[in-house]
Amino acid sequence: MTPDLPELTPLDSAFYPALDSMDLATRHILESYAEMRTGRVAPEWPLAQTEETIGELEFKNGLGLEGAVSEAHQLMEKGDLLSASARCFGYFNPTSAWPGVMGDLLVAARNPQICLTSHAPASTTMERSVSKFVLARLGLENGTAHFTSGGSEANETAVLVALCRARPDYLEKGVFAFGGQPTLYVSAESHMAWVKIAKATGIGSRAVRLVQTTGDGCMDVVALQSAIKADRKVGMIPFMIAATCGTTSAGMIDPLASCAKIAGLEDVHFHIDAAWAGALIFDEKRKTLLDGIETADSVTIDAHKWLAVPMGAGMIALREKHYAANVFSVQTSYMPEGDGEDMYITTNQWSRRFIGIRLWMMLRTLGLNGYQTMFDRHFALAAYLREQLEHHGWVIRNESKLPVIVFDDWLNGVDSQKIADQVENQGRAWLGRVNFEGQSVLRACTTSFLTEYDDIDILISELNTARKAIS
Ligand SMILES: *Cc1c(COP(=O)(O)O)cnc(C)c1O
């Protein structure tokens, strides 16, 4: 006789979705979106209080679903920076729009495993269809693209592809296939994930050559070309140039066409890291700002930045389908024979979430027109912010055409870090502090669809108050 299965009750609300627990979660979500419009941005609790509160909780006995949902909501509400706020000007990861959140929920519940095409043909095809759309917008119609956890994984994939292109036996011999130090070229203003990637791929951090800029945040292509030549002379093996399209600190765009030309002459892989600014492929009015992107062998775009979907959604686009084919391929007995394009053999991940639903939902709900409106708002807000900053005696340091502004007031001896800290303490707005071209500057981007002109006025007033408070 088989024993009775243990009953799931009284925890059944945790195992079976019910409308009232869903209602509770929905109510918390609505509270969060209301808070994003008008609430505090900085955490209400200092870190010590958050740690203490969480430290006192225990995991032995469950609270039941309602208790756990409300508790998690409250902890994040009190303890986290509200980076999705209309007045958080410090992040490239802005507010998640509702369609992506809903898509995520649908996927979390059904949990399709998309590593094998045959096990989730619908989800896989939906994801591929979004990828194809992105490829077409990039002018890389014959290529392939897939979703990644973020820009870092996408850039890492580009490095692996470039290493394989340079030395086909890299896959067998690893870095020994080169018989010397492989080197990749990025600007000094590029995203420092490159260093992490170099360590992780085994080429070592020395592989990353930081090329000087021309003083405006953009790669100096003359310096790039001479660095490659000098490195070759001493036995290093250049294999990749990665131009940045929209630097993280100041939104600057490297000269893409010139970089492409040098990559061609030097016969190295040409990557464009457009993690943030690449979103403008969806902006009919401004996509010319990305001119030259179509010359890349590979491009990184993060959907979880300017495309306003929940985090964990990057993309890598590759010019040729075959680039990715061998990099990740393996055979195992526990995976059925697939169609040769299964994502567990063509991408870095194995078990695989249907990440693309987030962008799918945005495009199916709003279409490109929705994104157009969003971008139009962001550029208008940035123009207003620029004007207001100058009007109030702040000095703008970057000449980006994108909605990210770096500025300071160091001529008057104002310490940018102190301003940023003071604005955070005041709590009503938040912005970053970065180094740009060797100067410590403040950084504000207008990339949330919730932001209004009033929010810019609040930021300006918070900045002016902070300047007074610290001087
Ligand atoms: C954000 C960013 C990255 C890193 O991407 P993640 O999604 O944070 O992993 C890389 N490059 C640039 C230019 C970025 O803006």
Side-chain angles (χ1 to χ4, degrees), residues 15-40:
F15 291 100
Y16 305 108
L19 278 179
D20 32 344
S21 48
M22 198 66 202
D23 277 351
L24 177 67
T26 309
R27 256 191 288 130
H28 286 316
I29 291 170
L30 294 178
E31 283 161 31
S32 294
Y33 276 80
E35 195 190 336
M36 288 171 210
R37 284 177 187 277
T38 53
R40 265 182 82 86

Short mmCIF file of all heavy atoms in Angstrom, two decimals, residues 15-40:
data_model
loop_
_atom_site.label_atom_id
_atom_site.label_comp_id
_atom_site.label_asym_id
_atom_site.label_seq_id
_atom_site.Cartn_x
_atom_site.Cartn_y
_atom_site.Cartn_z
N PHE A 15 1.28 27.18 -2.76
CA PHE A 15 1.49 26.27 -3.89
C PHE A 15 0.51 26.51 -5.04
O PHE A 15 0.82 26.21 -6.18
CB PHE A 15 1.40 24.81 -3.42
CG PHE A 15 2.57 24.44 -2.55
CD1 PHE A 15 2.46 24.42 -1.17
CD2 PHE A 15 3.82 24.16 -3.13
CE1 PHE A 15 3.55 24.09 -0.37
CE2 PHE A 15 4.91 23.84 -2.33
CZ PHE A 15 4.78 23.80 -0.96
N TYR A 16 -0.66 27.00 -4.70
CA TYR A 16 -1.65 27.24 -5.75
C TYR A 16 -2.00 28.72 -5.77
O TYR A 16 -2.43 29.25 -4.76
CB TYR A 16 -2.92 26.41 -5.50
CG TYR A 16 -2.62 24.95 -5.37
CD1 TYR A 16 -2.70 24.31 -4.14
CD2 TYR A 16 -2.22 24.21 -6.49
CE1 TYR A 16 -2.41 22.97 -4.01
CE2 TYR A 16 -1.92 22.86 -6.35
CZ TYR A 16 -2.02 22.25 -5.12
OH TYR A 16 -1.72 20.93 -4.99
N PRO A 17 -1.81 29.37 -6.89
CA PRO A 17 -2.12 30.79 -6.95
C PRO A 17 -3.61 31.02 -6.66
O PRO A 17 -4.45 30.21 -7.07
CB PRO A 17 -1.81 31.19 -8.39
CG PRO A 17 -1.21 30.01 -9.04
CD PRO A 17 -1.39 28.83 -8.17
N ALA A 18 -3.88 32.09 -5.95
CA ALA A 18 -5.26 32.44 -5.68
C ALA A 18 -5.41 33.93 -5.90
O ALA A 18 -4.45 34.67 -5.76
CB ALA A 18 -5.62 32.07 -4.25
N LEU A 19 -6.64 34.31 -6.25
CA LEU A 19 -6.82 35.72 -6.59
C LEU A 19 -6.52 36.65 -5.43
O LEU A 19 -6.01 37.75 -5.63
CB LEU A 19 -8.22 35.96 -7.15
CG LEU A 19 -8.34 35.61 -8.64
CD1 LEU A 19 -9.77 35.86 -9.13
CD2 LEU A 19 -7.35 36.42 -9.50
N ASP A 20 -6.81 36.22 -4.19
CA ASP A 20 -6.57 37.21 -3.12
C ASP A 20 -5.09 37.44 -2.85
O ASP A 20 -4.70 38.57 -2.58
CB ASP A 20 -7.36 36.97 -1.83
CG ASP A 20 -7.59 35.51 -1.55
OD1 ASP A 20 -7.41 34.72 -2.50
OD2 ASP A 20 -7.92 35.16 -0.41
N SER A 21 -4.26 36.40 -2.98
CA SER A 21 -2.83 36.70 -2.79
C SER A 21 -2.30 37.52 -3.97
O SER A 21 -1.46 38.40 -3.83
CB SER A 21 -2.02 35.42 -2.58
OG SER A 21 -2.34 34.46 -3.53
N MET A 22 -2.85 37.24 -5.15
CA MET A 22 -2.49 38.04 -6.33
C MET A 22 -2.90 39.49 -6.12
O MET A 22 -2.16 40.41 -6.44
CB MET A 22 -3.22 37.44 -7.53
CG MET A 22 -2.67 37.83 -8.85
SD MET A 22 -1.00 37.17 -9.07
CE MET A 22 -0.44 38.30 -10.29
N ASP A 23 -4.10 39.68 -5.59
CA ASP A 23 -4.58 41.05 -5.32
C ASP A 23 -3.64 41.78 -4.37
O ASP A 23 -3.36 42.96 -4.54
CB ASP A 23 -5.97 41.01 -4.67
CG ASP A 23 -7.05 40.86 -5.72
OD1 ASP A 23 -6.72 40.97 -6.92
OD2 ASP A 23 -8.20 40.62 -5.34
N LEU A 24 -3.18 41.06 -3.37
CA LEU A 24 -2.29 41.68 -2.40
C LEU A 24 -0.99 42.12 -3.09
O LEU A 24 -0.52 43.25 -2.93
CB LEU A 24 -1.99 40.69 -1.27
CG LEU A 24 -1.00 41.17 -0.22
CD1 LEU A 24 -1.59 42.33 0.59
CD2 LEU A 24 -0.60 40.03 0.73
N ALA A 25 -0.43 41.21 -3.90
CA ALA A 25 0.81 41.56 -4.62
C ALA A 25 0.56 42.74 -5.55
O ALA A 25 1.37 43.67 -5.62
CB ALA A 25 1.30 40.36 -5.42
N THR A 26 -0.59 42.72 -6.23
CA THR A 26 -0.92 43.82 -7.15
C THR A 26 -1.01 45.14 -6.39
O THR A 26 -0.52 46.18 -6.84
CB THR A 26 -2.25 43.56 -7.87
OG1 THR A 26 -2.18 42.26 -8.44
CG2 THR A 26 -2.50 44.57 -8.96
N ARG A 27 -1.62 45.07 -5.20
CA ARG A 27 -1.73 46.31 -4.40
C ARG A 27 -0.34 46.85 -4.05
O ARG A 27 -0.09 48.04 -4.13
CB ARG A 27 -2.58 46.08 -3.15
CG ARG A 27 -3.97 46.67 -3.32
CD ARG A 27 -4.75 46.70 -2.04
NE ARG A 27 -5.16 45.34 -1.67
CZ ARG A 27 -4.97 44.80 -0.47
NH1 ARG A 27 -4.37 45.51 0.49
NH2 ARG A 27 -5.37 43.57 -0.23
N HIS A 28 0.56 45.95 -3.68
CA HIS A 28 1.92 46.41 -3.37
C HIS A 28 2.61 46.98 -4.60
O HIS A 28 3.35 47.96 -4.50
CB HIS A 28 2.75 45.24 -2.80
CG HIS A 28 2.37 44.88 -1.39
ND1 HIS A 28 2.16 45.82 -0.42
CD2 HIS A 28 2.19 43.67 -0.80
CE1 HIS A 28 1.85 45.21 0.72
NE2 HIS A 28 1.86 43.89 0.51
N ILE A 29 2.36 46.36 -5.74
CA ILE A 29 2.98 46.88 -6.97
C ILE A 29 2.45 48.29 -7.27
O ILE A 29 3.21 49.20 -7.60
CB ILE A 29 2.72 45.91 -8.15
CG1 ILE A 29 3.51 44.61 -7.93
CG2 ILE A 29 3.11 46.55 -9.48
CD1 ILE A 29 3.16 43.48 -8.88
N LEU A 30 1.14 48.47 -7.09
CA LEU A 30 0.57 49.81 -7.32
C LEU A 30 1.17 50.82 -6.36
O LEU A 30 1.48 51.96 -6.74
CB LEU A 30 -0.96 49.78 -7.20
CG LEU A 30 -1.68 48.95 -8.26
CD1 LEU A 30 -3.19 48.94 -8.02
CD2 LEU A 30 -1.40 49.49 -9.67
N GLU A 31 1.36 50.41 -5.11
CA GLU A 31 2.00 51.31 -4.13
C GLU A 31 3.40 51.68 -4.60
O GLU A 31 3.83 52.83 -4.50
CB GLU A 31 2.13 50.62 -2.76
CG GLU A 31 0.85 50.55 -1.94
CD GLU A 31 0.95 49.47 -0.84
OE1 GLU A 31 2.07 49.21 -0.34
OE2 GLU A 31 -0.09 48.88 -0.53
N SER A 32 4.13 50.69 -5.13
CA SER A 32 5.49 50.96 -5.59
C SER A 32 5.49 51.98 -6.71
O SER A 32 6.28 52.93 -6.71
CB SER A 32 6.16 49.68 -6.10
OG SER A 32 6.34 48.78 -5.04
N TYR A 33 4.58 51.81 -7.69
CA TYR A 33 4.56 52.76 -8.81
C TYR A 33 4.15 54.16 -8.33
O TYR A 33 4.67 55.16 -8.84
CB TYR A 33 3.64 52.26 -9.94
CG TYR A 33 4.37 51.28 -10.87
CD1 TYR A 33 4.54 49.95 -10.53
CD2 TYR A 33 4.90 51.71 -12.08
CE1 TYR A 33 5.22 49.06 -11.37
CE2 TYR A 33 5.58 50.84 -12.94
CZ TYR A 33 5.74 49.51 -12.57
OH TYR A 33 6.41 48.64 -13.41
N ALA A 34 3.28 54.23 -7.33
CA ALA A 34 2.91 55.55 -6.79
C ALA A 34 4.11 56.18 -6.11
O ALA A 34 4.39 57.37 -6.28
CB ALA A 34 1.75 55.40 -5.81
N GLU A 35 4.85 55.35 -5.39
CA GLU A 35 6.05 55.83 -4.71
C GLU A 35 7.09 56.33 -5.73
O GLU A 35 7.80 57.30 -5.48
CB GLU A 35 6.61 54.65 -3.90
CG GLU A 35 7.62 54.98 -2.84
CD GLU A 35 8.27 53.69 -2.30
OE1 GLU A 35 7.65 52.61 -2.39
OE2 GLU A 35 9.40 53.79 -1.80
N MET A 36 7.16 55.66 -6.87
CA MET A 36 8.13 56.08 -7.90
C MET A 36 7.83 57.48 -8.41
O MET A 36 8.71 58.18 -8.86
CB MET A 36 8.09 55.11 -9.09
CG MET A 36 8.70 53.76 -8.81
SD MET A 36 8.34 52.68 -10.22
CE MET A 36 8.28 51.08 -9.41
N ARG A 37 6.55 57.86 -8.37
CA ARG A 37 6.20 59.20 -8.86
C ARG A 37 6.49 60.27 -7.83
O ARG A 37 6.97 61.35 -8.17
CB ARG A 37 4.71 59.26 -9.21
CG ARG A 37 4.36 58.59 -10.49
CD ARG A 37 2.85 58.65 -10.72
NE ARG A 37 2.47 57.86 -11.88
CZ ARG A 37 2.55 58.31 -13.12
NH1 ARG A 37 2.96 59.54 -13.36
NH2 ARG A 37 2.20 57.53 -14.12
N THR A 38 6.19 60.00 -6.57
CA THR A 38 6.22 61.11 -5.60
C THR A 38 7.00 60.81 -4.33
O THR A 38 7.24 61.71 -3.53
CB THR A 38 4.78 61.50 -5.18
OG1 THR A 38 4.13 60.31 -4.73
CG2 THR A 38 4.01 62.10 -6.32
N GLY A 39 7.37 59.56 -4.12
CA GLY A 39 7.97 59.21 -2.82
C GLY A 39 9.46 59.51 -2.73
O GLY A 39 10.06 60.08 -3.65
N ARG A 40 10.04 59.12 -1.61
CA ARG A 40 11.49 59.24 -1.41
C ARG A 40 12.23 58.39 -2.43
O ARG A 40 11.74 57.33 -2.82
CB ARG A 40 11.84 58.65 -0.04
CG ARG A 40 11.92 59.60 1.10
CD ARG A 40 12.34 58.83 2.35
NE ARG A 40 13.80 58.61 2.41
CZ ARG A 40 14.65 59.49 2.91
NH1 ARG A 40 14.22 60.63 3.40
NH2 ARG A 40 15.94 59.22 2.94
#
